[in-house]
Amino acid sequence: MGGRLELWGGNQRLVYALWREDGARLETTGLVDAVSGELLTPITAQTAVRVARAAVGSIAPLVRVERLLRGDHYFMGNEHRGAFPVYRVRFGDERATAVYVSERSGTIHAVATRATRITTWLGTVPHWLYLQWLYYDHPDAWTWVNLILPGVAVLLGLTGVIYGVLQLFPRRHLGHWRISGYRGMSLWHHVAGMVCGLLVLTWALSGVFELLGASSEPRAGQAEQVRGGPVQWDAIRVSEAAALARLRSSVAGPVVPKAIDLVQFDGLPGYAFRLEAGRTYWVDARSGEPRGDLSTEAIRHAAERVMGPAAHAVALERLGAYDTYYYARHGREKHLPVWRVSFDDEQRSVLYLDAVSGVPTGFVDADVRVWRWWREGLHDIDWPGLNNNRPWWDLVVLPLMIGGTISALTGVWLLFRRLKRMTGCG
């Protein structure tokens, strides 16, 4: 369905990375040498080492290479399902780096160091219960555990908040206006629960929602609708080199492409030149004619074809910054600039398209809006004005996390103290 001309591997070999669609995702399925036409994938272990060295440097001593058919604790998750098999290339550098290189695409999908391993076991594994035997061998059980445990936490938290409210000012009828009748660790738990109890509840409840609901990713088939069918390979008349020459003659300033994507828009194949500083230009692969952004009419026509005859575009806006529903998080950046096309259907759908290539980059409807607030809004505090606005996000989230942690840890301590008394230990 398309591909990219790029430099690959430690020796910066010029290759074509060929893509295919997997639902809404683009996956690299193979590499072809751009000079000789040689098929380079699936790659060998020796090639994986050379690719991995590009990430760690040439002087790092090689420890071993392992071929993995499924992920380990440091490279796990549904978003990586298309990467396997992978080579895990371990180095003996001071950070104990391991690089994960896909056998099928020759792409580096992850890099793990000593620091990331520690934070994974302290954060990711207990948070998502990423235990290999559970996640891979019993996926249905893993899903149910991740639904039931937060549900239990919601129930316990709710009863705790109710009981804690009833225990506020317990002797006020006697004229004692002490806020809590507890002392020591019980007092800490009571006060922390009252201050951060609602937060604990929303975090636990939204934790259930993490596995549910729609995302703002493009829907399967939308990219094909924008392309106007399969890529018309036989319509290509202009090479990448000729297209680059035409672009350099028509654009002011240096034109040094980081990558060249072969994409198709409305049945017309072309090259999307990805330049430094986020600039992108498109060159028609038939005529060699370059252009910048797509016109509003072209975007309207493509977007309405994606949505079908029942929906009509009512607003088109070019976004150079994120909005409430189309935004980035660390490690999950989204493309800019984009066209935001709003529709008049019952769902008030919004389609986001790359400003130059027209490739769908996001989709929002009524379900996405609801889940955006119940899931990301409650669980990750992804609120407008705070999201991607450091240090204000930290100043809000860190105190809340500390309060929630105190509430949870003091509760665990009180539980063990009660169990100790019940069993007569000590």
Side-chain angles (χ1 to χ4, degrees):
M1 58 137 310
R4 167 171 289 182
L5 180 64
E6 62 184 3
L7 293 172
W8 170 75
N11 58 0
Q12 294 293 281
R13 195 172 189 174
L14 193 63
V15 302
Y16 290 107
L18 303 180
W19 299 329
R20 74 171 178 186
E21 243 179 84
D22 179 20
R25 294 189 179 99
L26 289 179
E27 285 188 357
T28 300
T29 58
L31 298 177
V32 177
D33 189 292
V35 177
S36 67
E38 175 190 359
L39 181 63
L40 303 176
T41 51
I43 65 171
T44 64
Q46 292 76 15
T47 302
V49 172
R50 189 178 71 248
V51 172
R53 283 199 179 280
V56 300
S58 58
I59 63 174
L62 176 66
V63 175
R64 63 180 176 273
V65 182
E66 302 155 290
R67 185 175 181 268
L68 305 182
L69 298 179
R70 67 183 191 181
D72 59 13
H73 288 109
Y74 316 108
F75 181 56
M76 188 181 293
N78 187 54
E79 66 269 24
H80 302 302
R81 67 179 184 272
F84 294 95
V86 301
Y87 291 104
R88 181 173 59 195
V89 186
R90 295 182 179 269
F91 294 94
D93 59 331
E94 60 182 16
R95 300 196 305 162
T97 305
V99 182
Y100 298 79
V101 185
S102 173
E103 180 185 79
R104 293 197 310 170
S105 67
T107 303
I108 295 177
H109 281 270
V111 178
T113 64
R114 186 177 291 109
T116 57
R117 292 185 189 96
I118 293 173
T119 55
T120 295
W121 280 104
L122 292 178
T124 307
V125 171
H127 186 81
W128 286 104
L129 296 179
Y130 272 163
L131 305 170
Q132 288 181 276
W133 63 269
L134 181 61
Y135 183 79
Y136 286 114
D137 298 335
H138 306 283
D140 292 337
W142 177 85
T143 300
W144 279 108
V145 167
N146 274 275
L147 292 173
I148 292 173
L149 289 183
V152 172
V154 170
L155 181 61
L156 294 177
L158 183 60
T159 58
V161 169
I162 294 173
Y163 187 70
V165 170
L166 295 176
Q167 292 298 307
L168 288 173
F169 305 109
R171 299 179 183 177
R172 62 186 179 277
H173 61 283
L174 300 177
H176 299 164
W177 289 94
R178 180 187 175 104
I179 191 172
S180 173
Y182 298 105
R183 296 182 182 276
M185 192 66 72
S186 298
L187 174 62
W188 277 97
H189 183 65
H190 188 197
V191 174
M194 291 299 93
V195 174
C196 297
L198 182 61
L199 174 71
V200 172
L201 282 176
T202 57
W203 266 344
L205 180 62
S206 56
V208 177
F209 298 154
E210 285 287 293
L211 298 178
L212 304 173
S215 76
S216 60
E217 295 298 315
R219 301 296 183 259
Q222 289 183 341
E224 184 176 5
Q225 289 292 327
V226 171
R227 288 196 304 271
V231 175
Q232 304 297 316
W233 299 97
D234 56 354
I236 297 174
R237 298 287 182 269
V238 178
S239 68
E240 296 93 333
L244 179 59
R246 287 288 300 271
L247 183 62
R248 283 174 171 164
S249 66
S250 61
V251 174
V255 177
V256 181
K258 297 168 59 178
I260 305 173
D261 296 344
L262 176 63
V263 294
Q264 181 169 289
F265 179 81
D266 197 15
L268 304 176
Y271 302 110
F273 285 81
R274 312 289 181 181
L275 310 183
E276 299 290 342
R279 293 187 302 156
T280 303
Y281 292 92
W282 192 85
V283 178
D284 192 308
R286 303 174 308 163
S287 65
E289 188 66 27
R291 63 162 171 78
D293 284 6
L294 285 158
S295 68
T296 55
E297 279 306 309
I299 285 292
R300 181 188 298 274
H301 177 71
E304 290 185 341
R305 184 169 64 244
V306 169
M307 295 301 298
H312 299 91
V314 294
L316 284 80
E317 301 167 88
R318 186 184 187 277
L319 300 184
Y322 297 119
D323 65 12
T324 301
Y325 299 98
Y326 184 84
Y327 62 91
R329 294 170 58 190
H330 179 66
R332 303 180 186 178
E333 289 75 16
K334 290 181 177 290
H335 179 77
L336 286 173
V338 295
W339 284 101
R340 179 175 64 192
V341 187
S342 303
F343 293 87
D344 62 357
D345 59 330
E346 291 184 359
Q347 298 288 315
R348 294 186 297 114
S349 303
V350 178
L351 183 64
Y352 297 84
L353 302 170
D354 183 298
V356 175
S357 68
V359 173
T361 58
F363 179 75
V364 172
D365 58 12
D367 287 341
V368 173
R369 292 186 186 91
V370 170
W371 287 107
R372 183 258 184 271
W373 296 112
W374 280 100
R375 187 176 52 209
E376 285 82 13
L378 290 180
H379 202 73
D380 303 313
I381 319 296
D382 284 348
W383 302 338
L386 285 180
N387 187 47
N388 289 316
N389 191 3
R390 315 295 283 268
W392 299 110
W393 186 87
D394 305 84
L395 293 175
V396 171
V397 172
L398 289 179
L400 294 177
M401 291 179 64
I402 292 171
T405 301
I406 292 174
S407 177
L409 291 180
T410 53
V412 172
W413 191 91
L414 292 173
L415 170 64
F416 279 109
R417 189 177 69 176
R418 176 62 61 88
L419 292 174
K420 184 177 179 180
R421 289 175 179 173
M422 292 173 61
T423 57
C425 297

